[in-house]
Amino acid sequence: MDAVVKVFCIHTEPNFSMPWQRKRQYSSSSSGFVISGRRVLTNAHSVEHYTQVKVKKRGSDTKYLATVLSIGTECDIAMLTVNNDVFWEGVSPVEFGELPALQDAVTVAGYPIGGDTISVTSRVVSRIEILSCIQGSTELLGLKIDAAINFGNTGGPAFNDKGHCVGITFQSLRQDEAENIGYVIPTPVIQHFIQDYEKNGAYTGFPILGIEWQKMENPDLRKAMGMKPEQKGVRIRRVDAAAPESGVLKSSDIVLSFDGVDIANDGTIWGQL
């Protein structure tokens, strides 16, 4: 838990109606955690339009000035570092674990509103699916847990029963019909962000397939496309001209599997609906 830190940020958003000036500054606090290489991970929205970022260790009253190394808006992850050697004394980086399974126990740590000390909540993984990220308006792999993610708690790590980090908390579902629903960025997305930064020196993003596809739930449509009764898949509606697969795929092709994984008629993974 000593690797979990509190992140303080002063934001200054651009004024798009008057580009020559910025909006009034405001401050926020969130959570983060230390990883190898003297780096700190938190959410991208925690340092969005940042003017100044500081971090504070657990049990300390000193705020250390942080430098933002990279921001991944579409995956809602940001990487920071602190140039003060004192900050890194006695801090052990977290170790990443594998993608958890359904009903696996997870422990969420962070600094939510309502107090200044670290908060720890234990819950289970209730769903694993492609989620829509509010921050970047993209769809990436995510975990759903039966715990509310309160303000200030985002950016904190989610640990498994072995003490390994399996994700970063980043948003919650706030509706009258839903309670105690939080979302976690899993380790495959985190590792892609880290490896992208280490390879390119900056965050370059996630690849896209470059096609538009159509569900094949209609039996008459499957018959018209020449599919056998036992076959499942999706129909390609359009292929981007600049996509690498434009010379291989064409409209009305049927994709039966992807990377050896069978695709169902509704576009999900066959056998794991």
Side-chain angles (χ1 to χ4, degrees), residues 33-42 69-72 74-80 93-97 165-168 185-206:
F33 59 96
V34 176
I35 63 172
S36 61
R38 294 165 67 102
R39 297 170 296 185
V40 176
L41 289 186
T42 186
L69 297 177
S70 182
I71 296 179
E74 60 183 345
C75 60
D76 201 12
I77 305 177
M79 183 184 295
L80 319 174
V94 303
E95 296 181 3
F96 290 102
C165 177
V166 295
I168 306 174
I185 305 169
T187 45
V189 179
I190 301 172
Q191 293 289 7
H192 177 92
F193 174 84
I194 296 174
Q195 292 170 6
D196 189 10
Y197 175 80
E198 293 175 346
K199 179 180 179 180
N200 301 300
Y203 172 73
T204 61
F206 284 76

Side-chain angles (χ1 to χ4, degrees), residues 20 37 41 65 82 91 97 99 108 113 146 151 169 213 224 229 243 251 254:
W20 56 88
L41 289 186
L65 187 65
V82 178
V91 178
L99 182 71
V108 177
I113 58 174
D146 59 341
F151 293 106
T169 58
W213 54 273
S251 179
I254 306 298

Side-chain angles (χ1 to χ4, degrees), residues 103-135:
Q103 296 185 339
D104 279 0
V106 293
T107 300
V108 177
Y111 295 88
I113 58 174
D116 295 325
T117 58
I118 192 170
S119 173
V120 179
T121 306
S122 297
R123 288 294 186 266
V124 297
V125 177
S126 57
R127 182 177 292 171
I128 303 174
E129 64 178 358
I130 302 299
L131 300 175
S132 177
C133 177
I134 299 176
Q135 175 71 9

